Amino acid sequence: MSHNPPVGHPSDLVVGPSQPHETEHHVGGFAPSAHRGDEVSHGSSHHSQQPVAHHASSAIQNTVGSFEGVQFRIDHRDSNSLLALNLHPGYQVQGKSGAMVAMVASVQITGKMKLSFRKMLTGGEMTSSTFTGPGEVLLAPEIWGDIVPIYLDGQTEWNLSRDAFLASTMGVTKTSKAQSFGKAMFSGEGLFVHKASGVGMLWIQSLGAIVQKQLKQGEQWIVDNGHLVAWTASYAVERIAAGGFFSGSHTGEGLVCRFTGPGTVFIQTRNPSSLGAWIAAQMPAQG
């Protein structure tokens, strides 16, 4: 399976192979950012603010990149992914509560609780962790799955599934927005949909591997809601004559999300509700 670089506006990134300069020094196993002109975004004159990413050489490719005061590496791609962040002094990132695996002692961690009625309704995170450099932080999803970085360019707003967020730089804003009653009933996301905007890096997580679909103008894809991770394309919920081929836990039999391009859709290869039902079926009966 091919693994995707950070995505956003198509002009934001040009990805090249890992070719670090021999005289450059890097810390904690991080490959340094590439500095060749053909690997820097041509969408802005502020090249120092643009992320640079490339794939390290391996059978299952790792994703390596940088943005402002953080270098990142995603190891063990597909099912046991681990996000390593190397923070410059004073630089901060926000992570999902409970996602930290380990960190160097020089990193400072602070927690924040945000109590709101909307978060109670949406199932959004009530707490979050902020990590302040210098040093390295390791983050991971709570279950096996992949991690993908997304570059937010300040123009495109991303929609996120309930459990997609793993971490972000501080320039990324997460909100919840009310959606129509029909989508709330049948999309599986409730009355509110989670959104991410601003300028910075966003790292999303999945259950299983992540598949990226880049939809052209007018191109359509039908996706079972339980497999959604993040998207920018418009969508509508509809019923199709699918029998039992789509999961019934989130969308009901034959109820699916129809996405229309242009835009991007990230899909996870496993459905959390289906997995939960499978695990429950393996448990011994209580007598």
Side-chain angles (χ1 to χ4, degrees):
M1 175 180 290
S2 62
H3 295 282
N4 302 304
V7 296
H9 192 280
S11 66
D12 288 329
L13 286 173
V14 179
V15 179
S18 174
Q19 295 181 346
H21 194 281
E22 293 181 358
T23 60
E24 289 185 298
H25 176 67
H26 51 94
V27 180
F30 281 79
S33 303
H35 296 288
R36 300 202 312 268
D38 60 347
E39 292 184 349
V40 179
S41 166
H42 300 289
S44 171
S45 60
H46 302 290
H47 289 168
S48 63
Q49 301 300 310
Q50 300 296 324
V52 178
H54 53 266
H55 296 307
S57 298
S58 63
I60 298 179
Q61 294 176 334
N62 300 327
T63 298
V64 180
S66 64
F67 176 79
E68 295 182 338
V70 58
Q71 292 173 299
F72 66 88
R73 184 184 67 244
I74 303 173
D75 291 330
H76 312 293
R77 295 298 305 273
D78 266 9
S79 60
N80 293 292
S81 297
L82 178 73
L83 174 62
L85 302 171
N86 189 27
L87 307 177
H88 293 190
Y91 196 81
Q92 294 183 318
V93 296
Q94 180 175 274
K96 184 176 183 178
S97 180
M100 189 197 75
V101 175
M103 67 181 187
V104 70
S106 58
V107 174
Q108 295 182 354
I109 179 173
T110 56
K112 180 183 293 186
M113 178 172 287
K114 297 180 179 179
L115 296 175
S116 73
F117 183 67
R118 173 171 287 191
K119 285 186 177 291
M120 293 176 64
L121 288 176
T122 63
E125 292 290 326
M126 295 292 226
T127 60
S128 62
S129 300
T130 299
F131 302 91
T132 304
E136 185 175 359
V137 181
L138 304 180
L139 304 176
E142 55 270 85
I143 196 169
W144 54 88
D146 203 359
I147 301 170
V148 166
I150 299 176
Y151 169 58
L152 275 66
D153 60 5
Q155 300 177 7
T156 303
E157 185 177 58
W158 282 81
N159 301 284
L160 306 178
S161 66
R162 189 175 304 163
D163 300 315
F165 174 80
L166 178 63
S168 70
T169 55
M170 302 307 286
V172 174
T173 301
K174 297 189 280 82
T175 59
S176 298
K177 184 178 180 180
Q179 60 177 348
S180 69
F181 180 75
K183 287 185 176 180
M185 289 293 293
F186 301 122
S187 71
E189 293 298 323
L191 291 172
F192 297 90
V193 63
H194 305 278
K195 294 182 176 291
S197 59
V199 177
M201 293 300 304
L202 169 69
W203 291 274
I204 59 173
Q205 62 182 14
S206 67
L207 177 60
I210 291 182
V211 178
Q212 176 184 347
K213 293 299 179 184
Q214 192 70 41
L215 277 59
K216 299 177 182 178
Q217 180 71 43
E219 182 180 2
Q220 293 188 334
W221 270 77
I222 295 173
V223 183
D224 185 310
N225 176 264
H227 291 271
L228 285 175
V229 180
W231 63 95
T232 62
S234 61
Y235 78 100
V237 179
E238 62 183 56
R239 181 183 295 276
I240 63 174
F245 289 104
F246 290 88
S247 68
S249 298
H250 271 25
T251 58
E253 297 294 341
L255 288 171
V256 297
C257 294
R258 181 185 291 269
F259 289 90
T260 303
T264 303
V265 182
F266 281 110
I267 305 167
Q268 59 188 7
T269 59
R270 297 295 181 267
N271 185 317
S273 294
S274 298
L275 175 63
W278 181 87
I279 293 175
Q282 311 310 309
M283 302 296 291
Q286 300 293 326

